[in-house]
Amino acid sequence: TEGAASVSDGITHTDNTSEAPRVISAESKLEKIFDLMPQPPFILNSTSYQNEGNTSNSRFLCFNTIGKITITEEANYKHIFCEFSDHTNKRYINFTEKRNISLAALNNCGLVLAIKADTENIDEYEKDNKVSHSTLLFKSNNSLTDDKDWEIQIPFESIENLTLGVNWIAVYTDLFNVYIYSMSGILNMVFTVPHQITCMSGYENLFTYVYHPSAPIFGSQNFNFKIIDITNNFNVYYEGPLSLTYNSSLEWFGFSDEGMLFTFDSDKILRHFSFNLGKNWIPMMNLSREYINNNFWIVGIQDFEIVGVEIKNGGTEPTPFPKPFLKHHKIKCVFDTNSLLFNQNENNEVKI
């Protein structure tokens, strides 16, 4: 019969008149497997000038529950202004800078800013005589401490990301190096990571970052995260996968003011990583129904509330002007919230 197979001399023969099997190209198979582009790195709690709703020359270098660092570009200089949510014992910070400040992080200890290396501004004929370098600046915001303002240069590298905790600052460069400084500007540690860091966060003695161990696959960004204890010889306390909603991207990653680690993805799902419940990412809240047509930009998490700004008219980020209105959503969880918290020792250091 047509299309039948026969066996002769141990060899299987098929009638050539039968319908040929459908051939799936290797390219189409790969497209189904590697169906996402890797999410590019981003600076936590920072906005851009290219924001659709931003019609001014100002943006947020950092906007979290501690306060806001706003930068306004003028013709020949940049104006940096820091506004705190709680002004108790806080130092007034307002200054101008001609250099290209582009990154910042803020907590109760101070604010750290970075000037990235810019090789484009180096004349083609002067490359041998000029060295492009990054500059790290620290400004104490606590009027009760003796911490001084300082700045240091990192030659031959460009600062790409930064964060800070209690008495430490972490800086990530384009050479995959991580520098750990004290609040007085002393270099305590430098190490090289094997993968590009996507984002970073800090809390008390904990430094954590997100990275791609390999390419995104099957609708997952395939993120991992690592937590390092700065005060305990930089030991790695945990490293593992970071869970997101299928086909989504990471919008926010960091600690609450109480020391809980959270993620928020582009599908508006909030998750918490719990060491006390099997080291799992636990879905805590879904804001997709509440913000069907609008976006929700996270400022931070405090008092078991998610704090953010509703972005309307198709925008993605808040703008300094008009002043953003903060919205608070109580996090509702089916678990006992006390079991989700980190343990703290007598020195108030977070221990996992």
Side-chain angles (χ1 to χ4, degrees), residues 195-212:
H195 309 281
Q196 183 184 50
I197 290 179
T198 302
C199 65
M200 299 163 41
S201 182
Y203 175 81
E204 301 288 347
N205 53 303
L206 299 181
F207 166 53
T208 181
Y209 62 87
V210 176
Y211 64 93
H212 283 107

Side-chain angles (χ1 to χ4, degrees), residues 309-321:
V309 180
E310 182 179 5
I311 313 297
K312 299 180 180 180
N313 302 321
T316 57
E317 300 172 334
T319 57
F321 309 104

Side-chain angles (χ1 to χ4, degrees), residues 69-89:
I69 305 175
T70 305
I71 182 170
T72 301
E73 289 203 8
E74 302 296 344
N76 298 317
Y77 67 92
K78 296 171 178 63
H79 181 76
I80 292 91
F81 174 69
C82 187
E83 179 184 1
F84 299 101
S85 303
D86 181 4
H87 293 273
T88 306
N89 300 327

Side-chain angles (χ1 to χ4, degrees), residues 142-185:
N142 194 330
S143 60
L144 300 180
T145 65
D146 295 328
D147 292 334
K148 306 296 184 181
D149 296 352
W150 50 264
E151 67 175 70
I152 58 173
Q153 293 182 352
I154 303 178
F156 307 108
E157 298 181 59
S158 178
I159 297 176
E160 300 296 321
N161 213 323
L162 74 175
T163 189
L164 69 170
V166 172
N167 201 34
W168 60 267
I169 299 167
V171 175
Y172 168 70
T173 74
D174 60 339
L175 297 187
F176 289 14
N177 291 330
V178 175
Y179 293 84
I180 307 295
Y181 295 93
S182 70
M183 290 293 181
S184 57

